[in-house]
Amino acid sequence: DSGVTQTPKHLITATGQRVTLRCSPRSGDLSVYWYQQSLDQGLQFLIQYYNGEERAKGNILERFSAQQFPDLHSELNLSSLELGDSALYFCASSVEASGRTGELFFGEGSRLTVL
Amino acid sequence: EDQVTQSPEALRLQEGESSSLNCSYTVSGLRGLFWYRQDPGKGPEFLFTLYSAGEEKEKERLKATLTKKESFLHITAPKPEDSATYLCAALSGGGADGLTFGKGTHLIIQP
């Protein structure tokens, strides 16, 4: 158990809809990362928050947004969903901001299926 | 653009049969090279960090090494419980602090 909690574990929705994925980081970790994993693309970095502030942005679509709340939990909002958004979405946390140790603790992911 | 390429995509070994997984990277200003293990239905689990060419790290039957262009994960006398997907990731100095992951090597160890 990594200590990172993600909900929901599975989500099925229709094209055009909006969903919110939730992540509680490991106790004491200030950084939260969101990754998308699909069979053809592998793990793709979406966005990072550190202590409530956006720190780094990767390949995140404009239809997607995220935030980190004062209690450090984070939410990833996906809107105007398309079939291609079907994937596993992982949250990871770490204690530091730079990510230089590379030691991220991943949750078990939220599997999104868009029909 | 930062790139991490892993080979082979899949590898099937007999228990006790040692081998190596390859990770080649093209990143601007490598700040770190990382190995993770991912079991089916789980999130990746951190294994190693390597910072500079020539560095080596070991954990049980696994040893990771780093050169200026690639990293290897050597698996010595593997057991069935070593079966997993092994992911390599790089952190560049190019800007974003997110890791660039390879697509992984799916390793199966047969008893």
Side-chain angles (χ1 to χ4, degrees):
Chain A
D1 182 4
S2 67
V4 177
T5 303
Q6 288 188 247
T7 57
K9 289 194 187 311
H10 301 277
L11 192 54
I12 301 173
T13 188
T15 54
Q17 294 298 304
R18 172 191 170 95
V19 299
T20 297
L21 310 180
R22 193 178 192 279
C23 169
S24 294
R26 218 170 50 123
S27 177
D29 285 356
L30 300 179
S31 269
V32 169
Y33 300 77
W34 286 98
Y35 282 85
Q36 180 192 58
Q37 187 174 43
S38 60
L39 282 174
D40 57 340
Q41 293 293 323
L43 266 170
Q44 298 283 313
F45 168 63
L46 297 178
I47 198 164
Q48 178 202 0
Y49 280 83
Y50 179 77
N51 203 22
E53 300 290 326
E54 182 183 305
R55 179 169 169 83
K57 201 175 245 190
N59 301 319
I60 188 166
L61 300 171
E62 286 192 11
R63 299 183 286 108
F64 297 179
S65 65
Q67 55 183 324
Q68 186 180 29
F69 295 87
D71 67 352
L72 301 178
H73 91 270
S74 178
E75 291 181 357
L76 179 67
N77 300 295
L78 316 174
S79 62
S80 302
L81 286 167
E82 302 175 359
L83 296 178
D85 297 327
S86 296
L88 256 176
Y89 291 85
F90 284 106
C91 169
S93 72
S94 71
V95 64
E96 47 150 16
S98 73
R100 190 166 186 264
T101 68
E103 189 167 3
L104 304 185
F105 294 87
F106 281 80
E108 296 202 343
S110 293
R111 181 173 294 280
L112 174 66
T113 302
V114 182
L115 301 176
Chain B
E1 182 182 337
D2 297 339
Q3 282 195 327
V4 174
T5 304
Q6 292 188 246
S7 61
E9 289 185 13
L11 182 62
R12 190 183 295 266
L13 300 172
Q14 292 297 122
E15 183 173 0
E17 181 185 358
S18 302
S19 188
S20 296
L21 313 183
N22 177 265
C23 169
S24 62
Y25 60 89
T26 307
V27 301
S28 56
L30 182 74
R31 290 161 61 194
L33 190 290
F34 316 102
W35 283 95
Y36 281 78
R37 168 191 172 128
Q38 186 173 21
D39 292 300
K42 304 286 187 182
E45 177 186 349
F46 173 78
L47 292 173
F48 302 112
T49 300
L50 301 165
Y51 290 116
S52 55
E55 190 174 357
E56 297 183 353
K57 292 275 179 71
E58 279 190 72
K59 181 179 180 180
E60 295 181 0
R61 294 175 292 282
L62 301 176
K63 182 168 80 173
T65 62
L66 181 65
T67 72
K68 288 189 177 179
K69 292 185 177 180
E70 54 194 351
S71 177
F72 294 93
L73 185 65
H74 307 278
I75 302 176
T76 302
K79 299 182 178 181
E81 54 262 41
D82 294 322
S83 298
T85 296
Y86 289 87
L87 300 168
C88 170
L91 181 65
S92 76
D97 285 334
L99 302 181
T100 300
F101 278 86
K103 294 185 180 179
T105 293
H106 181 48
L107 178 66
I108 298 173
I109 308 298
Q110 294 180 309

